[in-house]
Amino acid sequence: MKAYDYIIWDFNGTILDDVDTGIKSVNKLLFDRGLATIPDVEYYRSVFRFPIIDYYRSLGFDFESEPYEVLAPQWVSLYLEYVKDATVYADVRSTLRSVRKLGVGQIILSATELDMLKGQIDELGIGEYFEEILGLDNIHAGSKLSLAFDWRDRHKGARALLVGDTDHDVQTAKALQADCVLVARGHQSKEYLSTLGVPVFDDLSQLISML
């Protein structure tokens, strides 16, 4: 196994166990509009996708009558209320420590708005592990690709591994010219992730074994 200079972490669904938070937040929006709510985690993982606006459309939101730009701040407000009950996955802290002991740099690259992301990381008390925290300049949870291209431009020749939980992380890894592994306990199903052509782990112990 090749040595890496950096592990680039996705945040939501990879470090932060916020699947239930996401379901609860969008279900409140759906219920308030008389739309069918998400019945369970399995269904959620089958419909979740990037960009988030397409995921919302699949749930029945009508952006002709209520623009996405109006809906998104409402979701963020609900998410920030509910995410107080969320925490990192049980094996995250030990994994971050193990990677640091290996002398590998660690970075977070997320589709979350940057200030919101930094606030969550501060609340969780894990900021010490990361050399960089990279997030978007807006709340619309679009693509991380521009962040990826910018990072690669600043780290030419660096050997990187991206750890994520969705198909967008595979796309982001390609933009980073990085290897990719996925952990199948986040926002998309293991069955689907297994079709994407990269290793899929059940937990982070497999990552440490690989490294």
Side-chain angles (χ1 to χ4, degrees), residues 95-162:
T95 302
L96 295 176
R97 288 194 295 269
S98 295
V99 172
R100 183 167 63 181
K101 287 179 181 178
L102 291 172
V104 178
Q106 300 186 83
I107 293 164
I108 287 181
L109 194 159
S110 174
T112 298
E113 190 274 328
L114 181 57
D115 289 338
M116 180 175 162
L117 176 63
K118 288 181 175 178
Q120 289 181 282
I121 290 169
D122 286 345
E123 286 289 325
L124 295 167
I126 58 173
E128 65 180 286
Y129 295 103
F130 303 104
E131 295 182 13
E132 289 185 272
I133 297 171
L134 306 175
L136 299 183
D137 61 1
N138 62 79
I139 64 169
H140 301 310
S143 173
K144 298 185 286 190
L145 296 183
S146 61
L147 294 174
F149 287 126
D150 177 69
W151 185 89
R152 174 48 74 185
D153 190 56
R154 292 185 288 108
H155 297 83
K156 292 181 173 67
R159 298 161 297 178
L161 173 70
L162 187 145

Side-chain angles (χ1 to χ4, degrees), residues 178-203:
D179 293 339
C180 183
V181 298
L182 300 173
V183 186
R185 59 187 180 188
H187 294 276
Q188 291 181 328
S189 71
K190 184 175 183 179
E191 180 181 21
Y192 173 59
L193 297 180
S194 298
T195 70
L196 300 178
V198 301
V200 178
F201 299 156
D202 293 316
D203 56 50

